[in-house]
Each structure stands twice: as C-alpha cells, then as structure tokens.
C-alpha cells in the first residue's frame, strides 16, 4: 500500500514538471494568453489610438511557441518568438524584459495583473496596452 502512494506522488510530480511552461522565462513573465487591445500611445505627436478612434479591434494570442496578432478578427501575423532579459534597460522604460518576434520586431514587456504593455524599441514609437481576456 505504501508503495502505491509513493508511486502516485512520484507520477504526479513528473506530470507537473512535464506540463509546465516550455520556456522557463515564459513561466516567470506570464505573457501566455489572449490579450485585447485597449490603447496605443506615442509617435511624434504623442497620439492616443483606441479601438474607437481607429474603428478597429486588435488582439494577441500568445502560446508557448507562437505569437498571433489579429485585426478585426482577421489573423494578420503568426510567428515564433523569444522572450529575453536585456543587460541594459530598454528604450522608453526601466524594464529589461522583452519579446522578440521571428520577424525581428522587439518590444519591452511590462506585465501587471491583467494588463500587458508592449513598448516598441525605437525613438518616438508607441506603447501598446492590452488587457487579458
């Protein structure tokens, strides 16, 4: 009887290990999920763009391997990505964590509760704010 309990505990522990995040950094950052666009702020004029002002919806779906971007429910980008931690702070933030798409686009990540902010890595670019769906 004791052996069966030990076997159950061992198999349960192994199941937890193998069902965890594929990317260790993903487990720490927690960007997986579905994200709905709230606003983008930036540019030379400091514009604020919203779904209402642009008459469009945007969402991101991020899983262990793919980053998918939708505009008005149409898939416009599907690519692999990497998460990383920069040695120096990133443009537009004091943060060091970033997402880099296979397309070459790199954005700083700020994650707080149910909000995700992606900050373009260029001068006078945009900060994009999303909420977890």
């Amino acid at each position: 009887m004791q052996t069966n309990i030990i076997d159950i505990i061992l198999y349960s522990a192994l199941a937890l290990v193998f069902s965890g995040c594929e990317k260790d950094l993903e487990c720490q950052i927690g960007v997986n999920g579905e994200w709905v666009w709230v606003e983008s702020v930036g540019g030379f004029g400091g514009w604020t763009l919203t779904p209402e002002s642009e008459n469009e919806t945007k969402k991101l779906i991020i899983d262990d391997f793919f980053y998918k971007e939708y505009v008005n429910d149409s898939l416009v980008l599907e690519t692999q990505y990497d998460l990383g931690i920069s040695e120096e702070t990133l443009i537009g933030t004091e943060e060091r964590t970033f997402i880099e798409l296979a397309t070459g686009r790199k954005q700083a990540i700020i994650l707080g509760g149910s909000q995700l902010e992606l900050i373009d890595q260029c001068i006078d670019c945009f900060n994009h704010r999303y909420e977890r769906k």
Side-chain angles (χ1 to χ4, degrees):
M1 182 76 168
Q2 181 115 5
T3 305
N4 288 339
I5 293 173
I6 293 172
D7 288 342
I8 291 170
I9 292 171
L10 178 62
Y11 290 125
S12 297
L14 286 173
L16 285 174
V17 168
F18 288 114
S19 68
C21 300
E22 291 292 323
K23 300 177 182 182
D24 290 338
L25 192 55
E26 164 56 37
C27 292
Q28 296 170 19
I29 295 175
V31 296
N32 275 15
E34 186 170 334
W35 301 93
V36 177
W37 178 55
V38 175
E39 70 178 1
S40 296
V41 178
F44 291 115
W47 297 286
T48 298
L49 310 176
T50 66
E52 294 78 22
S53 70
E54 302 307 298
N55 198 29
E56 67 182 12
T57 61
K58 297 181 183 180
K59 74 177 173 184
L60 305 176
I61 297 178
I62 304 171
D63 64 27
D64 286 341
F65 302 102
F66 290 98
Y67 172 101
K68 299 174 187 174
E69 205 171 281
Y70 294 82
V71 175
N72 294 329
D73 294 322
S74 294
L75 181 64
V76 295
L77 175 66
E78 180 176 4
T79 186
Q80 292 182 321
Y81 70 93
D82 286 313
L83 296 172
I85 300 175
S86 174
E87 291 182 18
E88 312 233 343
T89 57
L90 297 160
I91 297 171
T93 181
E94 293 298 315
E95 294 298 314
R96 297 176 186 268
T97 56
F98 64 87
I99 186 168
E100 187 167 10
L101 307 182
T103 61
R105 181 175 21 156
K106 183 176 181 179
Q107 296 173 302
I109 296 172
I110 298 175
L111 187 65
S114 63
Q115 294 197 358
L116 170 67
E117 188 172 354
L118 298 176
I119 303 166
D120 295 335
Q121 291 302 286
C122 53
I123 305 300
D124 290 323
C125 285
F126 282 84
N127 296 3
H128 310 278
R129 191 165 57 89
Y130 295 85
E131 288 186 353
R132 191 180 297 274
K133 183 172 179 185

